[in-house]
Each structure stands twice: as structure tokens, then as C-alpha cells.
């Protein structure tokens, strides 16, 4: 049985992430398995959204995907995998520029926990340019982000931009 984790910062979740979640949940479902979206709580990056806000957005966008759970984690991904009995890590690959870092992470994780394998899903062509960083950049300059994230997420990003620029 596949019990997979799709880890990330999701700051915020984009259509590209949602595409990977849907496809990975379909793959997991074929083996009566589960997909855990693991939201990182201790990155080196300073996120725009709090961990609770990121989890809440993911819960909204994964509503209806019955084999998908959303959980936050801190510390090492391999420890989170052990705690949740996960045997697969799923990551999306957008372009060759993602590959080196992703390969390094996959191999480090496998060295630390040989029970866990990383599975890469090629991002849908229509989302290959998309990243959370780009979404935030466009939003901070008051550009339209509806092509990049669901309506509920766009609303939260716009509110957050107003909140941050006011202070
Ligand atoms: O969405 P991101 O920021 O590209 O996701 C990166 C993430 C969360 C997958 C990665 O930073 C991670 O797994 N962090 C947890 C700490 C860890 O296990 N580091 C060692 C991996 S080499």
C-alpha cells in the first residue's frame, strides 16, 4: 500500500501544487493508500503565511479528495515519514532547474531513511512556470493572480499583502 507524503512550504498553495496533489492522490487511491500533504513549519525561508493559514488554505483546496490529509510538520521530513508510516515522498518537477536540488534531497532522505523512496511527478505543462514566489511577487505589485491560484487563495493573498504593506 502506498502511504505518500507531498511535502512543501505551500506559501501559498498554487494550481501547480493542486495538480500534483490530485494526481498523487489518484495514484495512492489505486493502492487503497493515502496522501498526506505535509506543510513545513520550520523552513529557512520566512513565510508570508503562518503555518495555520497555509494548512487552512490546503484544507479548503483539497476538500472532496477523500484520501488526502493535511498535516504540518517540523524537523526532518524523514522523521515525519517515520511518524506517519509513510513509504513514499512525492515531489513535482517543473524544469531542469528543479532537478539538482530535488535529486540531492531525495538521495539525502534515502540515505537517512532507506524505507522511504521519492517519486517525482512532472508538473502539468500549463503550470511549469508557476511558483509560490512568483505569485507573491505579482500580488505585491497588485497584479492579477487568478490564473495562478484558486479564488479563495487569491483573496487571502490579497488580504495578506494589504496587511503586510500597511504595517
Ligand atoms: O516547497 P518547498 O519549500 O520547495 O519544500 C521543501 C521541503 C519542505 C520539501 C524541504 O525543505 C524539506 O523537506 N524540509 C524539511 C527538513 C529536511 O528534512 N531537510 C533535509 C532534506 S535534504
Amino acid at each position: 500500500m502506498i502511504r505518500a507524503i507531498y511535502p512543501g512550504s505551500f506559501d501559498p498553495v498554487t494550481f501547480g501544487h493542486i495538480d500534483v496533489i490530485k494526481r498523487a492522490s489518484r495514484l495512492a487511491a489505486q493502492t487503497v493508500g493515502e496522501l498526506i500533504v505535509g506543510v513545513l513549519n520550520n523552513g529557512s525561508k520566512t513565510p508570508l503565511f503562518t503555518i495555520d493559514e497555509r494548512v487552512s488554505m490546503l484544507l479548503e483546496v483539497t476538500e472532496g479528495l477523500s484520501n488526502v490529509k493535511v498535516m504540518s510538520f517540523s524537523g526532518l521530513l524523514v522523521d515525519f515519514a517515520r511518524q506517519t508510516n509513510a513509504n513514499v515522498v512525492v515531489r513535482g518537477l517543473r524544469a531542469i532547474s528543479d532537478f539538482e536540488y530535488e535529486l540531492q534531497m531525495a538521495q539525502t532522505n534515502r540515505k537517512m531513511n532507506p524505507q522511504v523512496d521519492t517519486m517525482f511527478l512532472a508538473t502539468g505543462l500549463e503550470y511549469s512556470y508557476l511558483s509560490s514566489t512568483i505569485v507573491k511577487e505579482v500580488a505585491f505589485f497588485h497584479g492579477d493572480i487568478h490564473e495562478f491560484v484558486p479564488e479563495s487563495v487569491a483573496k487571502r493573498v490579497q488580504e495578506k499583502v494589504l496587511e503586510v504593506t500597511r504595517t
Side-chain angles (χ1 to χ4, degrees):
M1 179 176 114
I2 289 186
R3 192 171 164 80
I5 298 177
Y6 176 41
S9 306
F10 305 106
D11 186 44
V13 60
T14 68
F15 281 134
H17 295 128
I18 296 169
D19 177 50
V20 172
I21 292 173
K22 285 186 176 158
R23 287 160 57 205
S25 96
R26 217 179 303 136
L27 281 175
Q30 280 161 13
T31 60
V32 209
E34 192 172 58
L35 177 72
I36 299 166
V37 180
V39 189
L40 182 67
N41 190 16
N42 66 332
S44 44
K45 313 167 192 170
T46 309
L48 179 62
F49 288 95
T50 65
I51 186 67
D52 289 344
E53 289 168 335
R54 284 178 282 146
V55 166
S56 152
M57 284 186 275
L58 276 154
L59 283 171
E60 272 176 30
V61 301
T62 57
E63 215 191 329
L65 298 174
S66 57
N67 67 333
V68 175
K69 258 192 191 161
V70 180
M71 295 171 78
S72 62
F73 76 101
S74 38
L76 288 176
L77 177 59
V78 286
D79 291 336
F80 180 55
R82 266 192 208 100
Q83 287 153 21
T84 52
N85 288 321
N87 46 9
V88 170
V89 167
V90 175
R91 291 285 287 170
L93 272 185
R94 285 169 301 193
I96 198 76
S97 50
D98 282 343
F99 182 73
E100 205 170 326
Y101 172 62
E102 293 297 335
L103 183 68
Q104 200 178 15
M105 270 208 306
Q107 288 175 335
T108 310
N109 285 336
R110 198 160 141 66
K111 198 85 191 157
M112 291 191 288
N113 183 352
Q115 306 306 316
V116 177
D117 260 308
T118 300
M119 218 169 71
F120 294 110
L121 291 185
T123 303
L125 257 188
E126 65 273 45
Y127 306 122
S128 59
Y129 65 94
L130 192 52
S131 72
S132 302
T133 305
I134 289 288
V135 171
K136 287 181 279 192
E137 171 90 6
V138 173
F140 268 100
F141 289 104
H142 309 294
D144 187 359
I145 56 171
H146 287 87
E147 286 285 316
F148 312 140
V149 296
E151 174 63 39
S152 61
V153 175
K155 200 162 166 278
R156 292 208 203 201
V157 174
Q158 283 153 352
E159 283 165 6
K160 184 62 95 174
V161 166
L162 282 179
E163 184 189 314
V164 169
T165 49
R166 254 202 313 260
T167 52

